[in-house]
Amino acid sequence: MKHLSYILGVVAMLSLMPSCAKIERKDDGVEDMQICYDVIQDRSAVTKAAGVYPTGESFASYAWYLPDGMDWNSYRAYAELYIDKAEISYNSSRNSWYDQTRTYYWPNTGSLTFFSISPASVAESAELTKDDGFLISSWDVAANQDKDIMVADIQTDKNANETVGSFTGVPTIFRHKLAMIEGFTFNTFKDYAPGKSGDTYKDDDKRFFIQSIKVNNLKQEGQFVSGNAPSSTSIGQWQVSGTSAETDYTWFSEFEEVVYNSSGSEPIPANNLGGKTSILVLPQTFTNPDDADLEYEPNIEITYVTWEYTNDSGAYKSYETTARASLYSILASVGNRLDMNKKITFNITINLNSNLIIWAPDQNDWTDDDFNISI
């Protein structure tokens, strides 16, 4: 599913931005002359449920004005800023989204082209230009794990609110500009303890306990540019900073048994991310590491303990195993990269029939995406 965010918002504002040219506005107080925001679902994802923009969040919106006879694609160099970083937030008493400090109306003539970025606080680190769209010259994802950056598709040459479904306003379709590690699930290749009866096991039966899950050496600093016409096909671009520090994350650190489940894997939620339940990741392409350098390259590291029973009295011997694989190899089938608007779950299978770590990723849109792993 493309996890996209939807809101209906009416922008209520008190004044207009000063302009070099006089722009007449429809400010007679008629409700349908107010500029409204209708944040809607990307229709290519109609078979999947859409995410809802959180009512506790806000986004920043901008609009460029062009006179009659001029369109954004051909004449954007002449555009004047009409709405500058309006903060759109939810008002529960009106059940609508709008800038609660200013009022904007549609101009009598000409058209508006809209850009929006979320959350609103990211706008302080972003510059909007006619040629490049949104430019974030320096962003540290590790230091901003609470900021899920999204940019809305451009809405060009608008001169009135539009009716889309049951809502009226400027369509505002947000797309995530980061990747997210959402989860880890575990199973065993087969039931390695078939003789279990109460606390009794057969010789060579085994139990497995996850001890730690780590994501190591991620570069999380970079620059982003959206382009002057962001859309589903023009998604923008990240560039990893050459001076980016490497960040390690410990997803889980405890002692959790992996039990064979023929119907599917069991999740192990994060318990060591400072209260967070996922990891935001800077989109990037990974390079092929030398085997000797694997521990210093971006990788996933799983440490688990095996209890191997020696007889039916319950006696066992215990040993620890650490399985590590580079993100380059894990993501080989999808171009060795993590892309924007991707939400990832890693499904790990403990497989004693093989000493290899087998990664079978399927990177799709920000939804219930799984990477199947056998260790």
Side-chain angles (χ1 to χ4, degrees):
M1 150 187 107
K2 294 185 178 177
H3 184 109
L4 303 169
S5 305
Y6 307 79
I7 343 169
L8 171 67
V10 176
V11 180
M13 314 179 178
L14 297 176
S15 62
L16 292 174
M17 292 296 300
S19 169
C20 296
K22 183 178 180 180
I23 303 172
E24 294 186 1
R25 59 184 183 179
K26 301 175 181 179
D27 57 356
D28 54 6
V30 178
E31 184 175 346
D32 62 5
M33 296 299 100
Q34 294 180 330
I35 297 173
C36 305
Y37 285 85
D38 177 14
V39 184
I40 61 172
Q41 176 178 357
D42 175 10
R43 283 165 179 74
S44 65
V46 294
T47 60
K48 299 178 180 180
V52 178
Y53 195 92
T55 57
E57 191 60 87
S58 62
F59 65 93
S61 190
Y62 306 72
W64 297 92
Y65 172 81
L66 282 170
D68 283 340
M70 292 186 176
D71 63 82
W72 177 258
N73 288 337
S74 301
Y75 295 99
R76 66 174 180 271
Y78 300 97
E80 299 176 20
L81 199 58
Y82 187 83
I83 299 175
D84 184 11
K85 199 162 59 178
E87 182 173 352
I88 312 304
S89 59
Y90 180 71
N91 185 303
S92 58
S93 63
R94 294 176 54 177
N95 191 31
S96 62
W97 295 78
Y98 59 95
D99 185 321
Q100 302 192 38
T101 64
R102 311 181 66 174
T103 301
Y104 288 84
Y105 297 95
W106 289 101
N108 282 324
T109 61
S111 64
L112 299 177
T113 291
F114 290 84
F115 288 78
S116 295
I117 190 168
S118 174
S121 58
V122 174
E124 300 302 322
S125 301
E127 176 186 3
L128 178 64
T129 69
K130 301 172 190 177
D131 291 331
D132 295 324
F134 288 112
L135 173 64
I136 303 175
S137 59
S138 179
W139 189 256
D140 186 343
V141 180
N144 291 280
Q145 282 290 301
D146 59 337
K147 292 182 174 60
D148 172 16
I149 299 176
M150 293 187 287
V151 172
D153 292 357
I154 189 173
Q155 298 296 322
T156 59
D157 309 320
K158 304 296 183 182
N159 53 33
N161 295 325
E162 300 177 6
T163 299
V164 182
S166 59
F167 300 114
T168 300
V170 178
T172 307
I173 305 171
F174 278 119
R175 302 182 193 277
H176 299 271
K177 299 308 173 184
L178 297 173
M180 176 190 283
I181 296 175
E182 184 185 33
F184 288 83
T185 70
F186 286 81
N187 203 349
T188 61
F189 181 69
K190 63 181 182 179
D191 191 350
Y192 291 105
K196 183 176 181 181
S197 176
D199 292 328
T200 301
Y201 290 80
K202 297 189 306 182
D203 187 20
D204 292 332
D205 285 350
K206 297 175 178 65
R207 295 168 67 186
F208 306 94
F209 301 84
I210 301 302
Q211 189 162 280
S212 71
I213 305 168
K214 298 179 180 180
V215 183
N216 298 318
N217 306 317
L218 282 179
K219 292 186 176 181
Q220 291 279 61
E221 299 173 37
Q223 303 83 40
F224 174 76
V225 60
S226 71
N228 59 41
S231 68
S232 62
T233 56
S234 180
I235 61 176
Q237 184 175 5
W238 282 97
Q239 181 178 354
V240 179
S241 171
T243 60
S244 176
E246 295 177 340
T247 304
D248 298 336
Y249 297 93
T250 298
W251 178 274
F252 179 82
S253 179
E254 210 167 274
F255 203 69
E256 182 75 20
E257 183 170 9
V258 178
V259 179
Y260 174 72
N261 186 339
S262 60
S263 62
S265 300
E266 297 295 328
I268 293 188
N271 70 353
N272 211 0
L273 295 178
K276 299 188 180 304
T277 59
S278 59
I279 302 170
L280 291 175
V281 181
L282 183 76
Q284 60 194 275
T285 299
F286 300 99
T287 57
N288 189 6
D290 294 331
D291 290 342
D293 295 331
L294 177 57
E295 64 177 303
Y296 306 108
E297 297 294 329
N299 67 75
I300 292 178
E301 178 183 304
I302 309 294
T303 299
Y304 62 96
V305 174
T306 303
W307 288 2
E308 184 175 314
Y309 288 82
T310 56
N311 55 57
D312 61 5
S313 69
Y316 62 87
K317 57 183 178 182
S318 176
Y319 54 92
E320 181 179 287
T321 302
T322 295
R324 183 187 294 121
S326 69
L327 285 172
Y328 174 87
S329 64
I330 295 171
L331 302 172
S333 66
V334 290
N336 313 105
R337 65 181 184 266
L338 282 175
D339 290 328
M340 284 180 272
N341 202 38
K342 306 300 178 182
K343 182 185 285 187
I344 305 150
T345 294
F346 295 97
N347 295 326
I348 292 95
T349 301
I350 297 175
N351 182 3
L352 299 183
N353 295 350
S354 173
N355 291 324
L356 298 175
I357 300 177
I358 302 170
W359 312 83
D362 180 19
Q363 184 168 231
N364 297 308
D365 298 301
W366 192 300
T367 178
D368 303 326
D369 304 334
D370 299 334
F371 288 72
N372 298 311
I373 305 161
S374 179
I375 62 176

